[in-house]
Structure formats: C-alpha cells, structure tokens
Amino acid sequence: MPMPNHDAPKPDRDLATTTSAGSAASAASAADRTASLVAADRATVLQAYARPPIVFERGEGAWLFDVAGRCYLDFTAGIAVNALGHADPELAAAIADQATRLIHTSNLYHTTPYIRLAQRLVRRSFADRVHFANSGAEAIEAALKFARKHARTVRGESEASPAWTALGQPDEATGVWSRAWRLVAFEGAFHGRTIGALSATHKPAYRASFAPLVPGVAFAPFNDVEAAAAAITDETLAVLVEPIQGEGGYVPATLAFMHALRARCDAVGALLILDEIQCGLGRTGHLFAYEMYGVKPDMVCLAKPLAGGLPIGAVLMTEAVAAAIAVGDHGSTFAGGPLVCRAAEVVLDRVSDPAFLAAVRARGMRLVEGLLALGSPHVVDVRGAGLMIGVELDLPVKGVIDAAREAGVLLIGAGERVLRLCPPLIVSDEQVDEAVAVIGQAIDAAAGVW
Ligand SMILES: Cc1ncc(COP(=O)(O)O)c(C=O)c1O
C-alpha cells in the first residue's frame, strides 16, 4: 500500500521562467492568459465567490500549478478535501479504471463499489449502516430528515399528535416549538448552505438574506456545558455538533462538553449527530474525531475528503436510527455512484492505515511547534488536532493570506482573525517547514501595513 510521500521533491518555484526560456514575452502571454480567463469568469459565471486572479490547471502532491506556470504550496487542500494531495497515482488509476467500467446507474440498481465502501465504513466505525449523499450539506439534510423520522417512529409521535399538528409553528400558549421540530445546534457552527443545513448554521451573514429558514433550531454557546444542558430538553429531537468547529475558527470541543452532550441526549431521548464533514477521515490524525473523545454518536456526517476530491457525502448511523427509515423515505439520483465510491475506497483504505494516521499526527505536531517557535507577538492562539490547525491572530487574516499567496503558499481563513491550516494529509516535513516560514513572514508583512 502506498504510504504518504513526505519526501516529494520541491518543484521549481517559477516554471514560467524555467520551461518557457525565461522570456519576458512568454511571461506577458502567461499573464494575458490568466487575465482573459478571469475576465471570462466575470462575464459568464454567477459571481458568488471571491477568488484571487489565479487559474489552476494541474496539481501534484501538495503543489498546485497555475496557467501562468507558477506553483503554490497548497495549505488549503480544497478546504480540507484533497487528503491524498493532487493527482495521487493510485486514486487517479482507480478513477480511470472505473470510468472504463461503469460510471452511473442511479439507485435503481445495486453496483459493487458502494457496497464495498459501505462495508469498509461500517467495519471501521461505530456505525451499523451508511447512507450516501453527494456533498456535506446533503449529508446534513439527510441526517436531519432521519432524526425527524426517528422521533416520529421511535418516540411514538404520529401525525395526529399535538406535536405534529403544530408542525412549523410554536405552541400558541407557550411559544415553544413542538418537540418533533426541536434541534439544538451551536454558536459558531457551520453545517452547509442548503436551507435545512443553513438553518443549523449560526453565522448571521450566511442566514440573513434567506429567511424564513427551517424553524425550531435553538443555538447554545459552544463548549458551555451548563448552557447546553439547559438547551437540550425533552422537546429536543437531536443535537448537531462539529467535534472541531471548522468555519467557526478551528475550535475543538472540550472532552467535558462532548461527554455532557452524550449524557444529556441519553437523558432526554435525543439523537447525537456529529458533523465530521471537515474534521473526520484522518484530518485529526484519528480516522474519526469522535474517537478522540470516546463518545459514541448516533449519526456521523462525512463528506469532503471521502472521495479525494470527487463529490460525495455519507451518513453513518446506528441500527436504531436506520430502523426508522423505510424504502422511499429519502433518495438521490447520483448518490453512491460507482465512480465516486471506487475513489472513496482508495481514500478510506489509505487514511485508515495506522501508519498514515501516525504520520498525520507527527506532521501536525511539527506544524504547531513551528508556529509557536515563530514567537510572533501577533499569534494569539494555536489550536486544533492533527493537520487541522487554527492560528488566531490579533490582526485580520486577509492581509496574511494575500502576502502568503504572493510568496507561493495558499492559506484560507475562518472568520476575521483565524488562519485555518488544512494541508493535504500527505504533506512532507519540508513542506510544513516552508509553510511555517512563509506564514511568519506573511504575518510580519501584514502587521507592517495594518
Ligand atoms: C463542518 C462542515 N459541515 C458541512 C459543510 C458543508 O459541506 P458542503 O460544502 O460539501 O456542502 C462544511 C463545508 O465546509 C463543513 O465544513
């Protein structure tokens, strides 16, 4: 089995000058090509993303190459997606092979890759069953539907019960939402952009323009045991939580918080749903983040890295949840297709390997030690687990991200003041050291003009 390639040679930093004979004319034409592609985007594509003026055409390991011939060390991994880096040979070969066999049948029929993938996921997790989706938000939507159906069947509520006749409205006398609707989520949470997932996403800027959202979601402060215990009542059907908040700033749940959520859910008969879309599948140096806490969930949502960059989502669940779901309750045309599931088999086998996970933990430790050794007065906190590291600064991260990109390292932020470092899980020691050095310089540069 191929192991993480931590000794990959560093490519020439500026291929435009090495492969194009260094002529000023070719540099100008590369810049023209970028400019005309970006202009075409502006003219034809819905402008819903803020992208820098770079157009990528190729990747290799932790490197990305743009159409102008520059290469960048990718510490974003497509927002924690490209676990095996770019153009992994084993992954590419599996996808190419599967493409010559079978790409799509829809869920009208059985196919072999999704069955093998489901067996692997069940064997390696708490789960008894798995349901496939196409993205993180879709996995969340499915989990929320399953939680409602579970409440309806297992908790003995029927359409005739007051909880369901009051569907969609708070009780007139008390103002309380019926228990069949109540979901507890957390301040700082991000669960996706579809209406259901957005309803459990906390950030006002993401929600504001899209009201009315799905009613009945109560937000409690993250990592506040007492507030969570008060928010989770016997009206609550499920609690949805990220073990390490992603968009919220790479904030890990405390051990006490996760155990308190489990205990409170058990006390009131609510389901504990973990969103491991960003923190799952090896990112923390453990296959699943819940393993770090020793807490057994009822459902876990997965997505981002599962198929190495092809779109996929999955909901892992216990038999008790699965028993509430009947044929026809939920479905999707593309979900669990042969191509993505074949890719996911490769990713899951690689990231499940104990040696791979140990390497992730070692690189993560090296990253944290390097960041702390910078001794920057602008670093307020370094936190996270494995290769999911948040760096909180005392200045806006935008200037740091721009300066690092200029120096050839791609970074992303989480909120105003947190850099989130989520490189491919195959990143090398040398690449970690290079990123740390560039981050230090970029912080200094941004602080100088701030
Ligand atoms: C924790 C978490 N949940 C859900 C989502 C939504 O996933 P997707 O963008 O695939 O819909 C994301 C995406 O960033 C995420 O980080």
Side-chain angles (χ1 to χ4, degrees):
M1 178 180 301
M3 290 304 297
N5 179 8
H6 295 305
D7 303 315
K10 187 168 132 184
D12 285 329
R13 186 45 97 171
D14 193 342
L15 291 188
T17 54
T18 55
T19 60
S20 309
S23 74
S26 74
S29 84
D32 286 351
R33 189 160 170 231
T34 301
S36 79
L37 287 164
V38 170
D41 166 286
R42 298 236 161 95
T44 55
V45 175
L46 177 74
Q47 295 298 291
Y49 299 104
R51 296 187 254 236
I54 304 173
V55 182
F56 288 114
E57 64 178 356
R58 188 168 75 80
E60 192 184 318
W63 299 99
L64 273 174
F65 300 84
D66 75 1
V67 296
R70 268 205 97 192
C71 76
Y72 296 82
L73 186 53
D74 181 10
F75 259 57
T76 71
I79 321 182
V81 167
N82 304 90
L84 304 183
H86 301 283
D88 177 82
E90 191 195 6
L91 179 61
I95 293 169
D97 178 67
Q98 186 61 42
T100 66
R101 293 168 189 271
L102 188 63
I103 292 178
H104 177 76
T105 60
S106 88
N107 283 301
L108 288 172
Y109 307 106
H110 298 294
T111 59
T112 42
Y114 86 82
I115 296 173
R116 289 194 306 251
L117 178 61
Q119 286 177 317
R120 282 165 158 82
L121 284 165
V122 164
R123 205 164 50 233
R124 291 169 195 171
S125 75
F126 76 98
D128 300 309
R129 290 183 186 274
V130 54
H131 169 82
F132 293 112
N134 302 291
S135 67
E138 275 191 41
I140 296 286
E141 296 289 342
L144 296 180
K145 282 180 72 177
F146 299 161
R148 284 190 181 184
K149 185 81 193 292
H150 177 266
R152 179 176 277 204
T153 48
V154 176
R155 291 168 61 153
E157 286 161 0
S158 72
E159 269 122 72
S161 74
W164 287 92
T165 49
L167 212 64
Q169 295 165 38
D171 180 274
E172 270 178 31
T174 63
V176 171
W177 293 99
S178 69
R179 87 174 190 169
W181 275 102
R182 287 286 288 253
L183 175 80
V184 172
F186 295 94
E187 292 173 9
F190 182 88
H191 298 295
R193 307 287 199 140
T194 52
I195 290 289
L198 186 60
S199 305
T201 290
H202 184 249
K203 196 171 172 175
Y206 292 153
R207 303 164 57 93
S209 306
F210 303 103
L213 297 179
V214 177
V217 181
F219 289 101
F222 189 61
N223 272 340
D224 183 332
V225 169
E226 280 175 22
I232 302 165
T233 69
D234 56 12
E235 307 245 315
T236 305
L237 76 104
V239 172
L240 176 61
V241 65
E242 297 157 85
I244 301 182
Q245 285 195 334
E247 286 270 330
Y250 276 15
V251 187
T254 62
L255 206 56
F257 185 65
M258 290 293 280
H259 280 267
L261 293 185
R262 179 69 277 176
R264 192 73 190 121
C265 283
D266 289 344
V268 302
L271 298 177
L272 180 61
I273 309 172
L274 302 185
D275 179 343
E276 295 213 12
I277 287 165
Q278 189 154 168
C279 64
L281 294 167
R283 176 70 37 204
T284 62
H286 302 267
L287 185 57
F288 298 103
Y290 69 78
E291 294 169 4
M292 294 190 299
Y293 293 91
V295 161
K296 187 182 173 214
D298 299 296
M299 283 190 263
V300 168
C301 296
L302 302 172
K304 287 178 179 289
L306 182 52
L310 294 183
I312 190 169
V315 185
L316 307 181
M317 70 197 84
T318 60
E319 191 62 44
V321 175
I325 310 305
V327 169
D329 274 346
H330 192 56
S332 154
T333 300
F334 289 117
L339 190 70
V340 290
C341 289
R342 177 82 186 276
E345 285 183 81
V346 172
V347 175
L348 187 60
D349 284 352
R350 294 267 288 281
V351 304
S352 304
D353 185 324
F356 186 100
L357 293 167
V360 170
R361 294 195 295 275
R363 296 298 165 296
M365 199 64 83
R366 189 179 182 97
L367 181 57
V368 169
E369 283 167 359
L371 291 163
L372 294 175
L374 289 173
S376 170
H378 300 288
V379 173
V380 175
D381 192 19
V382 177
R383 58 185 176 237
L387 286 168
M388 183 172 186
I389 301 299
V391 186
E392 187 171 338
L393 304 178
D394 68 355
L395 70 165
V397 291
K398 187 180 176 314
V400 180
I401 292 169
D402 291 346
R405 192 174 61 247
E406 277 305 303
V409 174
L410 300 176
L411 304 174
I412 40 172
E416 266 268 290
R417 292 184 178 227
V418 180
L419 286 175
R420 53 173 150 165
L421 308 181
C422 50
L425 301 182
I426 48 85
V427 72
S428 69
D429 280 348
E430 189 198 23
Q431 290 163 341
V432 165
D433 296 347
E434 174 164 355
V436 167
V438 168
I439 290 167
Q441 290 155 14
I443 292 173
D444 290 345
V449 292
W450 184 54

